[in-house]
Amino acid sequence: MSGSERREQLIRISRTLFAEKGFDGTSIEEIAATAQVSKPVVYEHFGGKEGVYAVVVDREMQKLLGMITEALSAAHSLVKLERAALALLHYIEESSEGFRILVRDSHAASGTGTFASLISEIASQVEDVLADEFAARGYDPKLAPMYAQMLVGMVALTGQWWLDVRKPGREEVAAHLVNLAWNGLTALAPDPSLTVSGRALAAKPRAASEKELRELEKAREKELKEAEKIRQRELKEAEKARVRELKERERLLKEAEKAREREEKIRQREARLAERAARLEQVDHPE
């Protein structure tokens, strides 16, 4: 076995052990024994456990960052969100050991190889996307960093949860994530699904041909137009319902006011009758 092949073997073995036992639970002796080599061989390639751990973490970070970066290159913000969620879930599905390593409390030897720093790096990319969208929609771009942390944090924590449960499936989880992030609680869809462009990543994660991209783009535009029509219709219906509610409230208020006026008139009439009866009583029975 050549030196480069031995190095890759040690990385693969260490990756599995770190995922199962963590940094502190894994020893150089165990790595060497599993690879059927002596401890000096491991030291020769990496200088120690810290060195091989740093290499493993760095590889996983670069792999996941590359997938997220590619997902964020989509044209429309909705598709970017869908593909980013799918990219993370795809990474978890295909690289469960690597994700387990990333979400553990990383050892100091890994430098920036912590899950928090990974999230921060992804959030910085999302921040640029959101800043452009905010500016285009008239929102304050200075709020983009905060929203980026919220969005990435939500997706990342969902990924940690899905790492163990694995139900429902990847596309369904992504659809619900996007449903909450894109629509919000007030407009949550009861049965969400991904757009055609978003599903394309799950079905074919590698680059598509120009023809496929054009077809996906057309399908995306059509879906977005339909979604906007539905949204506008729902907004109009909600506005009509609010108007009806206001009118009904005004009617009830008017009826209540009339009832109060009637009660007041009755009270005043009863008071006058009582006063008149008292005067008559005084006439009939003078002191």
Side-chain angles (χ1 to χ4, degrees):
M1 183 179 293
S2 67
S4 61
E5 289 173 339
R6 176 67 70 189
R7 178 182 173 85
E8 291 301 318
Q9 179 204 30
L10 292 171
I11 291 173
R12 288 195 304 271
I13 290 172
S14 301
R15 181 177 182 267
T16 299
L17 291 173
F18 288 138
E20 292 176 355
K21 303 181 179 183
F23 179 85
D24 293 329
T26 303
S27 65
I28 285 291
E29 290 82 356
E30 191 172 9
I31 294 173
T34 306
Q36 297 182 343
V37 298
S38 62
K39 289 194 295 182
V41 174
V42 182
Y43 287 115
E44 178 185 351
H45 283 281
F46 303 102
K49 186 174 68 170
E50 292 81 0
V52 66
Y53 185 79
V55 171
V56 170
V57 169
D58 184 67
R59 284 193 176 188
E60 295 305 321
M61 284 187 65
Q62 295 307 316
K63 181 178 180 181
L64 180 53
L65 281 173
M67 296 172 69
I68 297 293
T69 301
E70 183 180 356
L72 292 175
S73 65
H76 193 276
S77 297
L78 175 58
V79 180
K80 286 179 183 179
L81 181 58
E82 289 178 338
R83 292 189 175 185
L86 280 170
L88 175 63
L89 297 174
H90 179 74
Y91 169 79
I92 293 172
E93 197 169 54
E94 300 297 324
S95 305
S96 297
E97 289 183 346
F99 191 69
R100 289 186 190 280
I101 293 170
L102 292 179
V103 298
R104 289 181 186 273
D105 290 333
S106 296
H107 191 268
S110 64
T112 59
T114 65
F115 193 55
S117 65
L118 175 66
I119 294 304
S120 180
E121 191 162 347
I122 295 174
S124 67
Q125 297 186 42
V126 175
E127 176 186 329
D128 294 335
V129 175
L130 291 180
D132 293 339
E133 290 294 326
F134 279 21
R137 296 170 183 266
Y139 302 147
D140 187 357
K142 293 179 181 178
L143 296 175
M146 179 177 67
Y147 276 89
Q149 292 289 338
M150 294 175 184
L151 188 59
V152 174
M154 179 180 71
V155 176
L157 286 174
T158 303
Q160 285 183 262
W161 165 79
W162 191 71
L163 174 65
D164 295 318
V165 297
R166 297 301 177 93
K167 290 181 180 180
R170 180 172 77 200
E171 289 189 49
E172 187 175 348
V173 173
H176 284 283
L177 264 172
V178 175
N179 186 27
L180 177 58
W182 189 261
N183 295 323
L185 288 173
T186 56
L188 208 61
D191 188 21
S193 62
L194 300 175
T195 63
V196 171
S197 297
R199 288 195 300 271
L201 181 66
K204 189 176 182 179
R206 295 292 173 247
S209 66
E210 290 187 10
K211 181 179 179 181
E212 289 173 325
L213 288 173
R214 286 195 299 270
E215 290 175 351
L216 287 172
E217 186 67 18
K218 289 180 181 178
R220 178 186 64 80
E221 292 294 340
K222 183 178 180 181
E223 285 189 350
L224 291 175
K225 287 180 180 178
E226 289 298 322
E228 183 61 22
K229 287 181 181 178
I230 293 173
R231 178 174 168 275
Q232 291 297 330
R233 184 165 63 248
E234 290 175 345
L235 288 174
K236 289 180 180 178
E237 291 175 354
E239 183 62 26
K240 289 180 180 178
R242 282 194 294 271
V243 171
R244 288 195 298 269
E245 184 180 351
L246 287 173
K247 288 182 177 179
E248 179 65 16
R249 189 178 302 173
E250 289 177 1
R251 185 183 66 81
L252 292 174
L253 287 173
K254 288 179 179 179
E255 289 182 355
E257 183 63 27
K258 289 179 179 179
R260 282 195 296 271
E261 291 176 355
R262 287 195 298 269
E263 290 175 358
E264 179 62 22
K265 288 179 180 179
I266 292 172
R267 187 188 65 79
Q268 291 176 358
R269 185 168 61 251
E270 290 177 345
R272 287 195 298 269
L273 289 174
E275 184 180 351
R276 183 178 178 185
R279 287 199 299 269
L280 291 174
E281 182 69 20
Q282 289 178 354
V283 171
D284 293 338
H285 303 282
E287 293 182 359

